[in-house]
Short mmCIF file of all heavy atoms in Angstrom, two decimals:
data_model
loop_
_atom_site.label_atom_id
_atom_site.label_comp_id
_atom_site.label_asym_id
_atom_site.label_seq_id
_atom_site.Cartn_x
_atom_site.Cartn_y
_atom_site.Cartn_z
N LEU A 377 -24.41 7.87 19.28
CA LEU A 377 -23.46 8.30 20.18
C LEU A 377 -23.87 8.40 21.65
O LEU A 377 -23.19 8.06 22.63
CB LEU A 377 -22.73 9.55 19.75
CG LEU A 377 -21.90 9.39 18.35
CD1 LEU A 377 -21.58 10.77 17.76
CD2 LEU A 377 -20.50 8.70 18.75
N VAL A 378 -25.07 9.03 21.80
CA VAL A 378 -25.61 9.14 23.23
C VAL A 378 -25.74 7.75 23.79
O VAL A 378 -25.44 7.51 24.93
CB VAL A 378 -26.95 9.97 23.23
CG1 VAL A 378 -27.59 9.72 24.50
CG2 VAL A 378 -26.64 11.41 22.94
N SER A 379 -26.29 6.78 23.00
CA SER A 379 -26.47 5.40 23.45
C SER A 379 -25.10 4.79 23.83
O SER A 379 -25.08 4.07 24.83
CB SER A 379 -27.24 4.66 22.46
OG SER A 379 -26.49 3.53 22.09
N VAL A 380 -24.08 5.11 23.06
CA VAL A 380 -22.74 4.59 23.43
C VAL A 380 -22.27 5.09 24.73
O VAL A 380 -21.76 4.48 25.64
CB VAL A 380 -21.74 4.95 22.25
CG1 VAL A 380 -20.36 4.79 22.75
CG2 VAL A 380 -21.99 4.02 21.15
N LEU A 381 -22.47 6.44 24.95
CA LEU A 381 -22.06 7.06 26.24
C LEU A 381 -22.80 6.53 27.36
O LEU A 381 -22.26 6.34 28.46
CB LEU A 381 -22.21 8.66 26.02
CG LEU A 381 -21.16 9.33 25.22
CD1 LEU A 381 -21.73 10.88 25.01
CD2 LEU A 381 -19.80 9.23 25.67
N LEU A 382 -24.11 6.38 27.20
CA LEU A 382 -24.93 5.82 28.27
C LEU A 382 -24.50 4.52 28.77
O LEU A 382 -24.51 4.13 29.92
CB LEU A 382 -26.41 5.82 27.94
CG LEU A 382 -27.04 7.27 27.78
CD1 LEU A 382 -28.44 7.16 27.43
CD2 LEU A 382 -26.94 7.98 29.19
N ARG A 383 -24.03 3.71 27.71
CA ARG A 383 -23.75 2.30 28.07
C ARG A 383 -22.15 2.17 28.47
O ARG A 383 -21.79 1.14 28.78
CB ARG A 383 -23.93 1.34 26.75
CG ARG A 383 -25.39 1.10 26.61
CD ARG A 383 -25.65 0.26 25.35
NE ARG A 383 -25.35 1.05 24.15
CZ ARG A 383 -25.03 0.42 23.10
NH1 ARG A 383 -24.88 -0.83 22.95
NH2 ARG A 383 -24.78 1.21 21.98
N GLY A 384 -21.56 3.24 28.38
CA GLY A 384 -20.17 3.36 28.87
C GLY A 384 -19.25 2.61 27.99
O GLY A 384 -18.04 2.18 28.42
N LEU A 385 -19.54 2.49 26.59
CA LEU A 385 -18.59 1.81 25.70
C LEU A 385 -17.54 2.69 25.36
O LEU A 385 -17.67 3.95 25.19
CB LEU A 385 -19.33 1.44 24.41
CG LEU A 385 -20.55 0.37 24.59
CD1 LEU A 385 -21.18 0.23 23.27
CD2 LEU A 385 -20.06 -0.87 25.26
N ASP A 386 -16.29 2.02 25.25
CA ASP A 386 -15.12 2.89 24.76
C ASP A 386 -14.81 2.48 23.51
O ASP A 386 -14.03 1.65 23.16
CB ASP A 386 -13.93 2.57 25.83
CG ASP A 386 -12.68 3.31 25.40
OD1 ASP A 386 -12.77 4.37 24.82
OD2 ASP A 386 -11.63 2.90 25.72
N ILE A 387 -15.34 3.36 22.50
CA ILE A 387 -15.18 3.01 21.08
C ILE A 387 -14.67 4.29 20.27
O ILE A 387 -14.94 5.37 20.67
CB ILE A 387 -16.39 2.49 20.39
CG1 ILE A 387 -17.50 3.43 20.32
CG2 ILE A 387 -16.89 1.31 21.14
CD1 ILE A 387 -18.65 3.00 19.46
N ASP A 388 -14.10 3.93 19.11
CA ASP A 388 -13.77 5.12 18.17
C ASP A 388 -15.11 5.28 17.40
O ASP A 388 -15.71 4.21 16.98
CB ASP A 388 -12.58 4.67 17.30
CG ASP A 388 -12.44 5.65 16.15
OD1 ASP A 388 -12.64 6.87 16.38
OD2 ASP A 388 -12.16 5.20 15.12
N CYS A 389 -15.45 6.54 17.13
CA CYS A 389 -16.78 6.82 16.52
C CYS A 389 -16.71 6.17 15.02
O CYS A 389 -17.82 5.93 14.54
CB CYS A 389 -17.12 8.24 16.52
SG CYS A 389 -16.26 9.33 15.32
N GLY A 390 -15.66 6.13 14.42
CA GLY A 390 -15.57 5.69 12.96
C GLY A 390 -16.24 6.67 12.03
O GLY A 390 -16.68 6.30 10.96
#
Side-chain angles (χ1 to χ4, degrees):
Chain A
L377 288 166
V378 167
S379 120
V380 162
L381 286 173
L382 289 178
R383 286 177 291 155
L385 299 178
D386 179 22
I387 65 168
D388 170 38
C389 75

